Amino acid sequence: WMLVDADGRFITQRTHPQMVLIRPSIESGRLVLTNDRGETHAVPGIESAIGRMQVQVWNDSVSACRLDRATDAWVSEAIGESCHLVTIDDDEVRQCDPAYADPGDRTGFADGFPLLLISQASLDGLNARLDTAVPMIRFRPNLVVDGCGPHEEDSWRRIRIGEVTFRVVKPCSRCPIP
Protein backbone atom coordinates (compact mmCIF):
# COMPACT_ATOMS: atom_id res chain seq x y z
CA TRP A 1 0.00 0.00 0.00
CA MET A 2 1.03 3.58 -0.56
CA LEU A 3 -0.53 6.99 -0.23
CA VAL A 4 -0.38 9.22 -3.29
CA ASP A 5 -1.51 12.78 -3.88
CA ALA A 6 -4.15 13.75 -6.45
CA ASP A 7 -1.45 13.65 -9.18
CA GLY A 8 -0.31 10.13 -8.23
CA ARG A 9 2.96 11.19 -6.58
CA PHE A 10 3.89 9.23 -3.46
CA ILE A 11 3.38 10.86 -0.07
CA THR A 12 5.82 10.23 2.77
CA GLN A 13 6.30 11.30 6.37
CA ARG A 14 9.19 13.44 5.19
CA THR A 15 6.68 15.94 3.78
CA HIS A 16 3.55 14.85 5.67
CA PRO A 17 4.58 14.15 9.29
CA GLN A 18 0.91 13.75 10.25
CA MET A 19 1.07 10.30 8.60
CA VAL A 20 2.61 9.03 11.83
CA LEU A 21 -0.84 9.44 13.40
CA ILE A 22 -2.27 6.68 11.17
CA ARG A 23 -1.63 3.24 12.65
CA PRO A 24 -1.93 0.26 10.30
CA SER A 25 -2.78 -3.23 11.50
CA ILE A 26 -3.84 -6.48 9.91
CA GLU A 27 -7.08 -7.95 11.20
CA SER A 28 -8.55 -11.12 9.71
CA GLY A 29 -6.23 -10.71 6.73
CA ARG A 30 -7.33 -7.12 5.98
CA LEU A 31 -5.59 -3.78 6.43
CA VAL A 32 -7.22 -1.67 9.13
CA LEU A 33 -6.23 1.97 9.65
CA THR A 34 -6.67 3.77 12.97
CA ASN A 35 -6.35 7.54 13.36
CA ASP A 36 -5.21 9.50 16.41
CA ARG A 37 -8.83 9.74 17.65
CA GLY A 38 -9.16 5.94 17.67
CA GLU A 39 -11.44 5.86 14.60
CA THR A 40 -10.83 2.87 12.36
CA HIS A 41 -11.30 2.14 8.69
CA ALA A 42 -11.19 -1.39 7.24
CA VAL A 43 -9.59 -1.19 3.81
CA PRO A 44 -11.27 -3.35 1.17
CA GLY A 45 -9.23 -5.92 -0.72
CA ILE A 46 -7.78 -5.47 -4.17
CA GLU A 47 -10.83 -7.23 -5.59
CA SER A 48 -12.79 -4.06 -4.72
CA ALA A 49 -10.40 -1.73 -6.58
CA ILE A 50 -12.18 0.99 -8.54
CA GLY A 51 -9.51 1.28 -11.20
CA ARG A 52 -5.85 1.66 -12.00
CA MET A 53 -3.67 4.73 -11.99
CA GLN A 54 -0.06 5.54 -12.79
CA VAL A 55 1.80 6.53 -9.64
CA GLN A 56 5.24 8.00 -9.11
CA VAL A 57 7.70 6.52 -6.57
CA TRP A 58 10.86 8.62 -6.72
CA ASN A 59 11.76 8.48 -10.43
CA ASP A 60 9.76 5.34 -11.20
CA SER A 61 6.31 5.24 -12.75
CA VAL A 62 4.24 2.25 -11.61
CA SER A 63 0.75 1.02 -12.37
CA ALA A 64 -1.25 0.79 -9.14
CA CYS A 65 -4.74 -0.27 -8.11
CA ARG A 66 -6.81 2.51 -6.61
CA LEU A 67 -9.01 1.28 -3.81
CA ASP A 68 -12.47 2.62 -2.97
CA ARG A 69 -13.70 6.19 -2.54
CA ALA A 70 -14.51 5.66 1.15
CA THR A 71 -10.86 4.80 1.80
CA ASP A 72 -9.73 7.85 -0.19
CA ALA A 73 -12.04 10.05 1.92
CA TRP A 74 -10.81 8.50 5.20
CA VAL A 75 -7.09 8.91 4.42
CA SER A 76 -7.64 12.39 2.94
CA GLU A 77 -9.22 13.54 6.18
CA ALA A 78 -6.43 11.96 8.23
CA ILE A 79 -3.70 13.57 6.07
CA GLY A 80 -5.44 16.91 5.62
CA GLU A 81 -5.35 16.92 1.82
CA SER A 82 -6.80 14.96 -1.05
CA CYS A 83 -5.03 11.64 -1.51
CA HIS A 84 -5.55 8.02 -2.52
CA LEU A 85 -4.52 4.72 -0.97
CA VAL A 86 -3.18 2.45 -3.70
CA THR A 87 -1.82 -1.08 -3.80
CA ILE A 88 0.41 -2.89 -6.25
CA ASP A 89 -0.37 -6.11 -8.09
CA ASP A 90 1.97 -9.05 -7.59
CA ASP A 91 2.75 -9.06 -11.31
CA GLU A 92 3.72 -5.37 -11.49
CA VAL A 93 7.50 -4.99 -11.87
CA ARG A 94 9.44 -2.09 -10.39
CA GLN A 95 13.11 -2.77 -10.95
CA CYS A 96 15.43 -2.19 -7.98
CA ASP A 97 18.30 0.27 -8.48
CA PRO A 98 20.46 -1.32 -11.21
CA ALA A 99 23.60 0.19 -9.65
CA TYR A 100 23.20 -2.39 -6.86
CA ALA A 101 20.67 -4.96 -8.04
CA ASP A 102 20.65 -7.70 -10.63
CA PRO A 103 18.29 -7.60 -13.61
CA GLY A 104 14.92 -8.91 -12.49
CA ASP A 105 15.33 -7.79 -8.86
CA ARG A 106 12.15 -5.96 -8.08
CA THR A 107 10.35 -4.17 -5.33
CA GLY A 108 6.92 -2.67 -4.79
CA PHE A 109 6.46 0.76 -3.26
CA ALA A 110 9.49 0.57 -0.93
CA ASP A 111 12.00 3.41 -1.28
CA GLY A 112 14.53 1.25 -3.07
CA PHE A 113 14.62 -2.39 -2.00
CA PRO A 114 12.06 -4.85 -0.66
CA LEU A 115 13.91 -5.77 2.54
CA LEU A 116 15.62 -3.70 5.21
CA LEU A 117 17.99 -5.56 7.55
CA ILE A 118 19.21 -4.51 11.00
CA SER A 119 20.69 -6.35 13.96
CA GLN A 120 19.53 -6.15 17.55
CA ALA A 121 23.15 -5.50 18.50
CA SER A 122 23.22 -2.36 16.33
CA LEU A 123 20.13 -0.99 18.05
CA ASP A 124 21.50 -1.96 21.47
CA GLY A 125 24.77 -0.17 20.64
CA LEU A 126 22.91 2.96 19.60
CA ASN A 127 20.68 2.91 22.67
CA ALA A 128 23.75 2.60 24.91
CA ARG A 129 24.84 6.02 23.58
CA LEU A 130 21.43 7.73 23.90
CA ASP A 131 19.85 9.34 26.94
CA THR A 132 16.47 7.91 25.90
CA ALA A 133 16.37 4.54 24.16
CA VAL A 134 14.54 4.22 20.85
CA PRO A 135 12.55 1.13 19.81
CA MET A 136 13.39 -1.01 16.78
CA ILE A 137 10.20 0.05 14.97
CA ARG A 138 11.69 3.52 14.52
CA PHE A 139 14.00 2.06 11.86
CA ARG A 140 11.18 0.20 10.05
CA PRO A 141 13.16 -3.00 9.34
CA ASN A 142 11.71 -6.10 7.69
CA LEU A 143 14.43 -8.38 9.08
CA VAL A 144 15.95 -8.18 12.56
CA VAL A 145 18.83 -10.54 13.30
CA ASP A 146 20.50 -11.42 16.57
CA GLY A 147 23.71 -13.16 17.56
CA CYS A 148 26.20 -10.82 15.91
CA GLY A 149 28.11 -7.69 16.86
CA PRO A 150 26.88 -4.13 16.34
CA HIS A 151 26.85 -3.13 12.66
CA GLU A 152 28.25 -6.49 11.49
CA GLU A 153 25.31 -6.67 9.10
CA ASP A 154 26.77 -3.69 7.20
CA SER A 155 29.57 -5.92 5.86
CA TRP A 156 27.49 -8.99 5.02
CA ARG A 157 27.00 -9.97 1.38
CA ARG A 158 24.53 -12.84 1.89
CA ILE A 159 22.16 -14.08 4.57
CA ARG A 160 20.15 -17.26 4.66
CA ILE A 161 16.78 -17.83 6.28
CA GLY A 162 15.96 -21.51 6.15
CA GLU A 163 16.56 -22.59 2.57
CA VAL A 164 16.32 -19.08 1.09
CA THR A 165 19.48 -17.07 0.46
CA PHE A 166 19.31 -13.28 0.12
CA ARG A 167 21.93 -10.91 -1.25
CA VAL A 168 22.73 -7.93 0.96
CA VAL A 169 23.35 -5.26 -1.66
CA LYS A 170 24.12 -2.10 0.29
CA PRO A 171 23.75 -0.31 3.61
CA CYS A 172 20.65 1.82 3.89
CA SER A 173 20.99 5.57 4.08
CA ARG A 174 18.52 6.48 6.76
CA CYS A 175 16.11 9.31 6.30
CA PRO A 176 15.41 11.74 9.14
CA ILE A 177 12.14 9.98 10.11
CA PRO A 178 13.65 7.53 12.68
Side-chain angles (χ1 to χ4, degrees):
W1 294 283
M2 178 174 69
L3 288 176
V4 297
D5 64 18
D7 296 323
R9 181 124 182 103
F10 76 117
I11 296 174
T12 77
Q13 287 182 19
R14 296 171 192 91
T15 57
H16 294 75
Q18 65 273 32
M19 287 176 67
V20 75
L21 300 176
I22 301 173
R23 296 283 180 208
S25 60
I26 302 294
E27 297 177 17
S28 301
R30 294 283 188 193
L31 175 64
V32 175
L33 304 175
T34 304
N35 65 21
D36 60 324
R37 295 182 303 278
E39 300 164 338
T40 62
H41 176 76
V43 176
I46 196 169
E47 67 278 357
S48 300
I50 58 174
R52 301 189 73 72
M53 65 184 293
Q54 284 300 117
V55 299
Q56 194 78 23
V57 185
W58 297 112
N59 294 320
D60 299 328
S61 180
V62 180
S63 178
C65 294
R66 187 169 154 209
L67 298 174
D68 68 326
R69 287 177 179 79
T71 298
D72 287 349
W74 195 94
V75 294
S76 294
E77 182 179 331
I79 296 299
E81 73 177 68
S82 180
C83 60
H84 309 290
L85 182 67
V86 296
T87 189
I88 191 166
D89 279 328
D90 288 338
D91 60 353
E92 181 68 23
V93 175
R94 178 173 167 236
Q95 175 67 42
C96 292
D97 185 343
Y100 300 98
D102 289 340
D105 287 351
R106 65 186 199 165
T107 189
F109 294 141
D111 274 358
F113 294 89
L115 297 175
L116 182 58
L117 169 71
I118 191 171
S119 71
Q120 184 64 51
S122 294
L123 179 67
D124 294 344
L126 171 65
N127 281 334
R129 296 187 305 274
L130 297 176
D131 292 332
T132 303
V134 296
M136 185 66 78
I137 193 68
R138 292 275 294 271
F139 294 92
R140 304 185 316 271
N142 307 81
L143 299 173
V144 179
V145 296
D146 206 355
C148 64
H151 309 289
E152 260 184 57
E153 68 273 22
D154 292 345
S155 65
W156 295 347
R157 293 290 151 239
R158 296 192 183 288
I159 61 168
R160 190 172 80 196
I161 301 173
E163 298 301 314
V164 180
T165 300
F166 297 89
R167 283 179 290 114
V168 180
V169 296
K170 71 182 219 36
C172 179
S173 303
R174 294 309 310 172
C175 67
I177 299 303

